Amino acid sequence: MGYLGIVMVALAVVLFTKTWQLFKVVLWRPYTVTKMFENQGVRGPPWKLFYGSTPEMKKLNQDAHQLVLDIKSNDIIQKAQPFYHKWSSQYGQTIPYWIGTEPRLIISDAELAKQILSNKFGFYVKPKMSHSLIRLIGNGLIFIDGEDWARHKRILNPAFSIDKLKVMIKKMAKCTVEMLDEWKNRAIVAEDPRFKIIINEDFRKLTADIISHTAFGSSYAQGIEAFRAQEELQKYSAASLADIFLPGSQFLPTLSNIRIWKLERELNTILEQIVSNKLKSHDGDGLLGIMLGALGSSDSKDSPKLNMKEIIEECRTFFFAGHETSSNLLTWMVFLLCKHQEWQDRLREEVMKECGEAIPDADMLNKLKLMNMVVLESLRLYGPAPDIIRQASRDLKLGNLTIPKDILLVINVLAIHRNKTHWGEDADDFNPLRFKNGVSKAAAHPNALVAFSLGPRACIGQNFAMLEVKTVIALLLQRFRFELSPDYKHAPVIRLTLQPQFGLPILVTPLPA
Ligand code: HEM
């Protein structure tokens, strides 16, 4: 065979292999996966060539965009997850669907969620995330896997020890008092002592302030500067996340990409400055201090180390994870306390009894039993993290189901938290007393509350978040009474976290000193 012949054969082989791969991804896999589930009695929306379920989801999301719910109702799924609302009424709670050619399975049962999340053999892994999402959250603890994750976790864990958290409460309280003093000044300036606040916006600033103080210690002011750059970056990244992803499009010099690159450079420069200042000052304070204590080559054998790039990525992750979620939890808790004034009174009474007018400390917060129940009930009904995603690393058995390798499992936290089999017929009602005997006894399944996830990859910041929310709400109750503003529209939406689409306007009245 001549040279040309060899080239032709090689080309034919490449062409055949590529066509076969395309055929497998576009037709064969969707057909076999759909059949595999159908044979097990599990059905979902019809699969469409190339697009899967994406057009239907898009249409349902668009229709739900204008929807405003009855303020009395906590049944938010039709607004926040319209596709699940529709499909679950047709196909049940375990639903296969397709994002383009990628198969996914929605899980809405606590037992299956527990089996996935508490598996210690690496059967369910973190899926590869899009460039936009990593840019948004940072390539830190949330996304990394395997040995890298174990090394980072060993270094970061001590930052969340009880002793460290106790010190952090003081910083949380200081930031909150500053915000509330500013509110008091507003009340003095306004003629009417009762004035309006868009509280989700104030909580965003507050939680940013808190994580900057706790993560960066003395460099918190620069931390807040970094936050501003990251917030702007988030706006651009969120917009590109909403678009259909075209491979390679992140490298095109579009106006938005140029802005994103500039912001990324700015953010990295600020973070590098913070790190270098901190290194010079030998200040071991805050989360960053702990990370810098472990600065070194990541292949060091003796003790776990983080290199500079990893530290910067972790800073970005903690910025995002440490403020986006808690500010939304605070927002929803205030919403519930506005709706249920009797609970607002009960919590205020409890705070006055255990703390009086004092700034709460760890011991006082520990005694706030009703407060704890209300936080848990807020996490159940309006948990900021609406789903948790894993990927099957091989063909697996999950409960009675056989799961094909590589499928993405979408643990639907919102649905599990409203599942009547677990929580009873009043699952949609606000009833903090269901937690009076502890989390594991609140529902028919001991792990039905998955707001912070479960198992080895559960939220590292959950104690931090619980203390932060209790501190902020206790200080707020000591100083103000609050109610919903008449222009509030009940429209919880998912923008990575569960948020009020039109904000949360409330009316606050200072309490007599
Ligand atoms: C109400 C507040 C919060 C909620 C509802 C929440 C929820 C969650 C959930 C569901 C996960 C698991 C994600 C997954 O596996 O895909 C997670 C992980 C994580 N969270 Fe939180 N979180 C909150 C606050 C915080 C705070 C305050 C911090 C930091 C200060 C934080 C840092 C992290 C980190 C670093 C991880 C990754 C842990 C790992 O994979 O080892 N979170 N969080």
Side-chain angles (χ1 to χ4, degrees):
M1 202 185 320
Y3 176 70
L4 194 64
I6 295 172
V7 171
M8 292 304 279
V9 170
L11 272 177
V13 170
V14 171
L15 197 68
F16 175 78
T17 319
K18 289 284 167 209
T19 314
W20 172 242
Q21 277 170 353
L22 193 70
F23 168 76
K24 260 186 18 190
V25 171
V26 173
L27 285 171
W28 184 244
R29 187 158 155 77
Y31 173 78
T32 50
V33 170
T34 306
K35 272 275 157 267
M36 179 178 184
F37 280 124
E38 273 178 12
N39 291 342
Q40 302 180 70
V42 177
R43 285 190 167 72
W47 163 81
K48 300 239 165 58
L49 186 64
F50 291 118
Y51 295 104
S53 325
T54 319
E56 189 183 357
M57 289 177 85
K58 237 179 162 166
K59 166 91 179 57
L60 290 166
N61 280 337
Q62 270 163 6
D63 293 348
H65 190 71
Q66 300 307 327
L67 186 67
V68 173
L69 299 177
D70 178 351
I71 210 161
K72 290 195 210 90
S73 166
N74 296 311
D75 180 5
I76 61 169
I77 301 242
Q78 53 173 320
K79 169 76 188 170
Q81 292 175 329
F83 53 93
Y84 180 76
H85 181 69
K86 179 173 179 229
W87 297 341
S88 58
S89 67
Q90 289 173 279
Y91 311 111
Q93 291 177 347
T94 309
I95 312 164
Y97 70 107
W98 297 81
I99 295 292
T101 53
E102 177 196 89
R104 295 184 172 207
L105 185 71
I106 303 180
I107 304 288
S108 323
D109 172 79
E111 178 53 31
L112 296 184
K114 186 191 126 191
Q115 287 182 27
I116 297 168
L117 295 171
S118 55
N119 183 284
K120 295 202 172 69
F121 305 106
F123 290 173
Y124 302 97
V125 292
K126 290 253 172 172
K128 201 167 170 318
M129 289 298 170
S130 74
H131 189 79
S132 304
L133 199 63
I134 293 180
R135 182 194 290 135
L136 200 62
I137 302 186
N139 198 19
L141 208 58
I142 292 190
F143 291 143
I144 54 179
D145 225 332
E147 283 177 16
D148 277 344
W149 169 78
R151 175 169 51 88
H152 285 228
K153 177 99 185 206
R154 270 174 66 196
I155 293 166
L156 291 164
N157 248 346
F160 295 93
S161 69
I162 293 296
D163 288 347
K164 292 271 184 327
L165 287 173
K166 279 187 180 169
V167 178
M168 291 182 195
I169 294 175
K170 289 200 184 101
K171 296 185 179 178
M172 293 169 182
K174 183 176 167 287
C175 297
T176 313
V177 169
E178 271 170 27
M179 178 188 82
L180 297 176
D181 282 351
E182 201 256 310
W183 286 13
K184 278 206 172 143
N185 290 338
R186 262 195 253 178
I188 293 167
V189 176
E191 304 270 285
D192 187 352
R194 198 175 66 151
F195 62 101
K196 183 162 140 182
I197 281 188
I198 312 294
I199 199 159
N200 54 308
E201 289 174 7
D202 282 40
F203 280 156
R204 267 187 93 78
K205 286 193 210 115
L206 173 63
T207 52
D209 203 16
I210 290 178
I211 194 77
S212 289
H213 275 82
T214 45
F216 293 135
S218 54
S219 313
Y220 73 91
Q222 277 171 302
I224 291 172
E225 221 184 295
F227 241 119
R228 293 212 182 95
Q230 204 195 19
E231 286 230 304
E232 208 187 324
L233 195 56
Q234 274 172 24
K235 279 188 207 138
Y236 281 95
S237 305
S240 69
L241 269 174
D243 287 345
I244 300 217
F245 178 70
L246 294 174
S249 58
Q250 73 269 32
F251 304 114
L252 295 176
T254 58
L255 278 180
S256 120
N257 278 347
I258 291 171
R259 183 75 192 129
I260 287 175
W261 297 333
K262 186 166 176 288
L263 283 166
E264 277 196 311
R265 276 197 307 273
E266 258 175 53
L267 181 59
N268 282 341
T269 312
I270 301 171
L271 290 174
E272 277 160 19
Q273 270 168 9
I274 296 177
V275 169
S276 95
N277 287 350
K278 197 106 177 141
L279 272 173
K280 274 186 222 140
S281 67
H282 301 286
D283 165 12
D285 192 17
L287 182 71
L288 180 59
I290 291 190
M291 289 200 273
L292 288 176
L295 180 64
S297 152
S298 50
D299 9 273
S300 157
K301 295 273 175 302
D302 30 1
S303 62
K305 298 280 179 208
L306 291 176
N307 64 37
M308 194 55 89
K309 188 167 183 309
E310 290 171 326
I311 292 179
I312 302 270
E313 289 300 321
E314 285 299 354
C315 286
R316 292 174 68 163
T317 294
F318 277 88
F319 262 164
F320 182 87
H323 106 111
E324 184 72 25
T325 45
S326 7
S327 90
N328 284 310
L329 177 58
L330 280 164
T331 300
W332 291 119
M333 185 161 164
V334 164
F335 163 74
L336 288 165
L337 289 177
C338 283
K339 253 188 15 161
H340 301 275
Q341 289 286 328
E342 73 290 3
W343 274 98
Q344 194 184 128
D345 292 340
R346 286 176 83 170
L347 290 204
R348 186 171 292 107
E349 226 170 81
E350 184 181 62
V351 169
M352 291 325 248
K353 179 167 168 265
E354 303 300 346
C355 321
E357 310 262 297
I359 303 283
D361 60 23
D363 294 334
M364 293 174 190
L365 293 179
N366 211 13
K367 290 185 190 143
L368 302 178
K369 302 294 174 211
L370 291 175
M371 172 83 85
N372 193 48
M373 290 181 220
V374 176
V375 180
L376 294 172
E377 185 68 339
S378 309
L379 275 167
R380 184 182 76 82
L381 287 171
Y382 294 91
D387 50 38
I388 304 169
I389 303 185
R390 293 290 183 272
Q391 186 162 26
S393 63
R394 62 189 80 178
D395 288 349
L396 286 167
K397 208 76 194 139
L398 175 64
N400 295 327
L401 284 178
T402 303
I403 303 286
K405 178 175 182 295
D406 287 341
I407 193 168
L408 288 200
L409 300 157
V410 181
I411 298 170
N412 189 343
V413 176
L414 285 193
I416 294 177
H417 286 178
R418 284 170 174 75
N419 189 327
K420 293 202 162 82
T421 337
H422 305 322
W423 298 96
E425 281 310 307
D426 72 342
D428 285 327
D429 297 347
F430 174 75
N431 174 16
L433 290 175
R434 68 176 89 239
F435 288 101
K436 67 177 182 297
N437 296 319
V439 176
S440 59
K441 302 230 168 65
H445 192 285
N447 302 107
L449 191 77
V450 278
F452 290 114
S453 186
L454 300 170
R457 300 297 300 250
C459 177
I460 197 174
Q462 59 181 296
N463 292 334
F464 178 105
M466 291 296 283
L467 290 171
E468 181 180 22
V469 169
K470 289 179 194 174
T471 306
V472 174
I473 299 288
L475 288 162
L476 179 60
L477 287 164
Q478 281 174 332
R479 289 159 176 77
F480 291 91
R481 160 166 295 289
F482 40 95
E483 61 202 281
L484 280 176
S485 170
D487 57 346
Y488 171 68
K489 291 192 219 134
H490 193 36
V493 284
I494 297 174
R495 294 177 186 140
L496 274 185
T497 49
L498 187 74
Q499 307 178 10
Q501 185 177 349
F502 307 106
L504 177 59
I506 60 163
L507 300 173
V508 292
T509 314
L511 292 168

